């Protein structure tokens, strides 16, 4: 086989299997970096996986299962060398919300097997939707969700997640999918506070917070390198897990066993220090999720929202880390990679997954060279599932709640709220509406309303595009707003700059603006629409321009265009507007000024031909 053919086949394989491109340059140095990153991320991921599974209302082992096959599949199809996928806080919260909205065949609350079946189906549906969007190259759709909406949703979700963990950390029974319901649940059961659980929870919380703030500087004071100290600080949750588990085990000899509740005891409502209980070891069974549930279609909206939110969060994180290494992320391939990973979770006993912030940053800092670091991490989780599950039975759920609380604080960005309001009241309102609806009604309602508000604000802004009458800055070829600058004007000439693309939503507004201007200027003979900001003229806007041209011509006013961009001009040439235009189309506003103004040289008039100036033909 010739070298060109081999390279062509390799490129074709890498197109569909990005890992093939990474492996072409893989060496022992890259292997060492990937293995080191995998060890550190595995240590982080074990407690996080357990915690996020419980946050989703699922058995703890589901988090471990969601951290095996999905990581291997992302390593095959992902385009980021450092994105670490797996269970994450927001997706876990959305999963819990989706499952809570379902009911069993008899109308009662779902049993644990039914909840697990719903989570598997949710992951599978989410993955299928992501793959479909990737194949249709719909990665650009994420641009329709504004950053303020995402910021408001993230902040509200962080608050909800923290509130949801106040139950496990205090030993109180907590229910509800929004902040109001959670608050009522906590207040009604406050007298049942379990002090040993609270002590364990607050102790772990204090350790994690102090370690995050001060441990790195303390280790560096002991002459440890900054990178090594930073990596060691990331493993502090493991220390909390080990110490609290040993403490719970030790206390079991001092207290009656009724002071502890594990596994099935918790499901039956028995009180005591809530422990994770027995975690099944070994590999999960591989099987397709069942579609026979009578209300599985009710998960479609939830799956779509989880897909969108997970993709937006993952893509932003992957692009941020890739930019530091001058690498490129393909959004459409990331859709497919996340989709395949979620479907993998759906067939391997897992739950919906996404890219994790803290794990990805640690993966990056540890020097992960390729996505194979994720596959090696999956092997680490597999080993933990085989050998460490017996030790997890004594792990207090309050410890996992403390881990979630500390990890979730990064989602709450009060500074972003202040910045957004200071810059734009409209965007600030969208942020606050999303935040309030999420807190008051739940995550699904919040993101739906947020997207609707975001699109509504866009339509409002573009349906009333900013426009300005401009005049010539004396002695130059520049034109500025007559209300902001001292400029030259002509009573017989009006130059109207349109600062937005023209489409169906603002076509009528443009008509009203032009006709109002004509009514205010009885001496007007020429109207120039300066189109330097116009990137699109759709069929509705074209019809409006034709109407404007006819009405101006009937009033003895000629309509001219200037600075029409090439792609827009190409489309206009397919219509009758250039031929029927009362005036001309000019390459620049200055050309129009020279040709039409009493201050100009009028040299531009001789250049017009067939309704289009010669200079415009190259636009």
């Amino acid at each position: 086989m010739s070298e060109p053919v081999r390279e062509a086949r390799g490129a074709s394989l890498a197109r569909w299997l990005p890992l093939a491109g990474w492996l072409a340059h893989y060496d022992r140095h890259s292997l060492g970096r990937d293995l080191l990153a995998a060890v550190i991320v595995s240590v982080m991921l074990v407690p996080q996986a357990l915690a996020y599974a419980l946050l989703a209302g699922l058995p703890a082992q589901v988090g471990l299962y969601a951290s095996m096959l999905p990581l291997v599949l992302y390593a095959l199809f992902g385009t980021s060398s450092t994105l670490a996928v797996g269970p994450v806080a927001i997706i876990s919260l959305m999963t819990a919300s989706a499952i809570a909205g379902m009911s069993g065949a008899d109308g009662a609350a779902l049993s644990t097997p039914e909840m697990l079946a719903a989570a598997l189906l949710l992951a599978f549906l989410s993955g299928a939707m992501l793959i479909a969007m990737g194949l249709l190259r719909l990665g650009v759709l994420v641009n329709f969700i504004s950053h303020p909406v995402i910021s408001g949703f993230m902040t509200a979700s962080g608050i909800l997640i923290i509130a949801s963990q106040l139950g496990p950390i205090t030993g109180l029974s907590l229910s509800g999918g929004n902040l109001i319901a959670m608050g009522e649940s906590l207040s009604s059961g406050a007298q049942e506070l379990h002090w040993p659980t609270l002590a364990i929870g607050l102790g772990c919380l204090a350790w994690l917070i102090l370690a995050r703030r001060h441990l790195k500087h303390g280790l560096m004071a002991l002459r440890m390198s900054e990178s090594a100290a930073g990596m060691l600080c990331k493993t502090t949750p493991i220390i909390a897990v080990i110490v609290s588990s040993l403490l719970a085990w030790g206390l079991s000899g001092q207290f009656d066993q009724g002071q502890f509740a594990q596994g099935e005891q918790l499901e039956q409502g028995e009180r005591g220090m809530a422990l994770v209980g027995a975690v099944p070891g070994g590999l999960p069974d591989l099987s397709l999720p069942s579609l026979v549930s009578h209300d599985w279609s009710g998960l479609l909206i939830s799956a779509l929202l989880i897909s969108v939110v997970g993709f937006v969060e993952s893509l932003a994180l992957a692009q941020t880390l890739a930019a530091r290494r001058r690498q490129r992320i393909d959004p459409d391939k990331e859709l497919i990679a996340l989709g395949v990973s979620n479907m993998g979770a759906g067939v391997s006993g897992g739950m919906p997954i996404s890219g994790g912030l803290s794990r990805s940053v640690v993966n990056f800092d540890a020097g992960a060279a390729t996505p194979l670091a994720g596959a090696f991490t999956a092997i680490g989780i597999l080993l933990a599932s085989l050998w460490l599950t017996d030790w997890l039975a004594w792990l207090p759920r309050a410890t996992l709640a403390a881990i979630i609380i500390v990890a979730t604080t990064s989602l709450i960005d009060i500074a972003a709220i202040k910045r957004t309001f200071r810059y734009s009241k409209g965007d600030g309102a969208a942020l606050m509406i999303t935040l309030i609806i999420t807190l008051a009604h739940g995550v699904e309602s919040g993101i739906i309303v947020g997207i609707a508000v975001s699109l509504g604000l866009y339509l409002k802004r573009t349906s009333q595009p900013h426009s300005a009458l401009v005049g010539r800055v004396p002695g130059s070829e520049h034109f500025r707003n007559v209300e902001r600058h001292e400029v030259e004007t002509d009573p017989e000439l009006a130059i109207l700059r349109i600062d937005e693309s023209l489409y169906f939503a603002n076509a009528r507004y443009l008509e009203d603006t032009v006709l109002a201007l004509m009514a205010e200027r009885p001496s007007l003979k020429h109207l120039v629409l300066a189109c330097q900001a116009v990137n699109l003229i759709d069929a509705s806007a074209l019809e409006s321009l034709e109407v404007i041209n006819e009405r101006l011509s009937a009033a003895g006013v000629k309509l001219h265009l200037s600075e029409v961009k090439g792609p827009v001009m190409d489309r206009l040439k397919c219509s009758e507007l250039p031929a029927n235009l009362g005036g001309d189309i000019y390459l620049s506003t200055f050309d129009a000024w020279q040709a039409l103004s009493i201050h100009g040289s009028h040299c531009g008039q001789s250049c017009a031909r067939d309704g289009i100036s010669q200079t415009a033909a190259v636009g």
Side-chain angles (χ1 to χ4, degrees):
M1 184 185 299
S2 65
E3 188 65 24
V5 173
R6 186 181 294 108
E7 290 181 358
R9 289 189 176 181
S12 178
L13 179 61
R15 177 185 175 187
W16 295 104
L17 205 66
L19 182 62
W22 298 103
L23 291 178
H25 308 285
Y26 205 67
D27 54 22
R28 293 178 61 183
H29 178 64
S30 298
L31 175 63
R33 292 169 58 186
D34 285 344
L35 287 173
L36 175 62
V39 169
I40 298 173
V41 174
S42 297
V43 171
M44 283 186 64
L45 184 52
V46 170
Q48 286 188 354
L50 298 172
Y52 292 143
L54 296 179
L55 174 61
L58 301 169
Q61 68 270 17
V62 173
L64 296 177
Y65 296 161
S67 305
M68 297 184 201
L69 183 57
L71 274 70
V72 175
L73 292 174
Y74 184 82
L76 292 173
F77 294 95
T79 60
S80 170
S81 62
T82 54
L83 186 68
V85 300
V88 298
I90 288 183
I91 302 303
S92 299
L93 180 65
M94 296 181 71
T95 300
S97 176
I99 295 175
M102 299 180 65
S103 59
D106 56 357
L110 296 181
S111 64
T112 297
E114 290 175 327
M115 293 174 63
L116 180 56
L120 295 177
L121 184 56
L122 193 61
F124 192 85
L125 290 174
S126 176
M129 290 178 180
L130 286 167
I131 291 175
M133 288 189 287
L135 293 176
L136 294 173
R137 306 184 69 82
L138 298 180
V140 296
L141 288 182
V142 299
N143 297 329
F144 287 93
I145 307 178
S146 69
H147 185 268
V149 166
I150 291 296
S151 180
F153 177 73
M154 294 288 190
T155 296
S157 297
I159 295 172
L160 284 178
I161 291 169
I162 291 174
S164 71
Q165 297 310 297
L166 295 180
I169 211 168
T170 59
L172 298 176
S173 178
L174 182 64
S175 61
N178 56 66
L179 197 61
I180 298 174
M182 291 180 190
E184 293 175 348
S185 177
L186 282 175
S187 61
S188 63
Q191 67 277 7
E192 299 180 359
L193 183 68
H194 193 256
W195 293 104
T197 297
L198 181 63
I200 291 284
L202 292 182
C204 291
L205 196 59
W207 157 249
L208 293 171
I209 293 174
L210 291 174
R212 171 177 283 195
R213 293 182 177 179
H214 305 294
L215 182 59
K216 180 178 180 180
H217 297 293
L219 293 174
M220 291 175 62
L222 296 176
R223 297 187 179 181
M224 181 178 288
S225 68
E226 182 177 358
S227 59
M231 293 299 173
L232 189 59
C233 289
K234 303 297 183 182
T235 65
T236 51
I238 284 292
I239 298 175
V241 167
I242 294 173
V243 172
S244 62
S245 298
L246 290 174
L247 187 58
W249 176 76
L251 289 174
S252 67
Q254 304 296 323
F255 293 94
D256 185 274
Q257 288 297 312
Q259 293 290 326
F260 300 88
Q262 306 187 32
E264 295 181 359
Q265 295 173 315
L266 290 172
E267 294 180 16
Q268 297 166 4
E270 294 190 18
R271 286 191 37 77
M273 182 183 296
L275 304 178
V276 169
V279 176
L283 293 172
D285 295 327
L286 298 179
S287 62
L288 287 173
S290 173
L291 299 179
V292 299
S293 174
H294 73 286
D295 59 355
W296 70 269
S297 58
L299 293 174
L300 289 175
I301 297 299
S302 298
L304 178 61
L305 295 177
I306 287 174
S307 301
V308 172
V309 172
F311 176 63
V312 170
E313 187 179 10
S314 299
L315 183 64
L317 178 58
Q319 289 178 331
T320 299
L321 296 177
R324 299 183 186 179
R325 293 184 176 179
R326 299 190 178 186
Q327 296 173 345
R328 180 179 176 272
I329 300 298
D330 187 321
D332 295 314
K333 290 182 180 178
E334 282 298 295
L335 278 169
I336 294 175
L338 288 173
V340 172
S341 300
N342 270 283
M343 292 188 75
V347 301
S348 62
M351 56 187 283
I353 57 96
S354 180
L357 173 60
S358 58
R359 297 192 299 271
S360 298
V361 172
V362 169
N363 212 26
F364 179 89
D365 291 340
T370 72
L372 276 178
F376 296 146
T377 299
I379 295 175
I381 301 301
L382 169 62
L383 296 177
S385 298
L386 292 173
W387 295 338
L388 300 181
T389 51
D390 291 340
W391 294 89
L392 297 174
W394 288 98
L395 174 59
R397 295 197 177 191
T399 301
L400 297 179
I403 292 173
I404 291 176
I405 289 174
V406 173
T408 303
T409 53
S410 61
L411 296 177
I412 302 175
D413 193 351
I414 303 301
I417 299 176
K418 296 179 180 178
R419 289 195 305 269
T420 303
F421 264 105
R422 188 165 54 244
Y423 183 77
S424 170
K425 295 295 188 294
D427 286 334
L431 187 154
M432 287 304 300
I433 290 173
T434 304
L435 189 149
I436 292 171
I437 294 297
T438 302
L439 292 178
H441 293 279
V443 291
E444 290 190 3
S445 299
I447 193 63
I448 290 174
V449 171
I451 293 174
V453 171
S454 180
L455 292 176
L457 286 174
Y458 171 78
L459 290 174
K460 181 179 183 299
R461 281 194 289 257
T462 57
S463 65
Q464 298 179 355
H466 179 268
S467 59
L469 279 174
V470 298
R472 177 173 174 262
V473 177
S476 74
E477 297 183 8
H478 300 290
F479 292 79
R480 294 294 184 267
N481 193 331
V482 298
E483 297 181 0
R484 292 175 177 267
H485 302 272
E486 293 292 334
V487 293
E488 295 178 352
T489 59
D490 184 337
E492 297 182 353
L493 169 66
I495 303 176
L496 183 65
R497 190 188 69 216
I498 307 299
D499 295 333
E500 184 62 68
S501 293
L502 301 177
Y503 72 117
F504 65 91
N506 59 28
R508 183 59 182 270
Y509 184 82
L510 177 63
E511 286 184 41
D512 295 339
T513 300
V514 170
L515 296 179
L517 175 62
M518 184 177 64
E520 294 172 359
R521 303 277 294 270
S523 60
L524 188 66
K525 293 183 179 180
H526 300 280
L527 173 64
V528 178
L529 295 183
C531 302
Q532 58 262 52
V534 176
N535 299 311
L536 168 72
I537 298 178
D538 74 356
S540 298
L542 175 64
E543 186 174 340
S544 288
L545 288 176
E546 291 172 343
V547 170
I548 291 171
N549 181 55
E550 291 175 2
R551 293 185 179 179
L552 290 178
S553 297
V557 179
K558 290 186 178 181
L559 176 65
H560 308 267
L561 304 179
S562 71
E563 306 203 36
V564 181
K565 294 182 177 179
V568 178
M569 192 67 242
D570 292 340
R571 298 187 67 175
L572 289 181
K573 288 178 180 178
C574 297
S575 72
E576 297 179 357
L577 179 66
N580 296 332
L581 196 65
D584 300 318
I585 300 177
Y586 296 93
L587 177 64
S588 70
T589 304
F590 182 69
D591 289 342
W593 172 267
Q594 284 187 311
L596 305 173
S597 171
I598 58 175
H599 302 287
S601 64
H602 298 277
C603 65
Q605 290 179 341
S606 61
C607 298
R609 185 178 64 185
D610 296 332
I612 304 178
S613 67
Q614 291 179 346
T615 52
V618 299

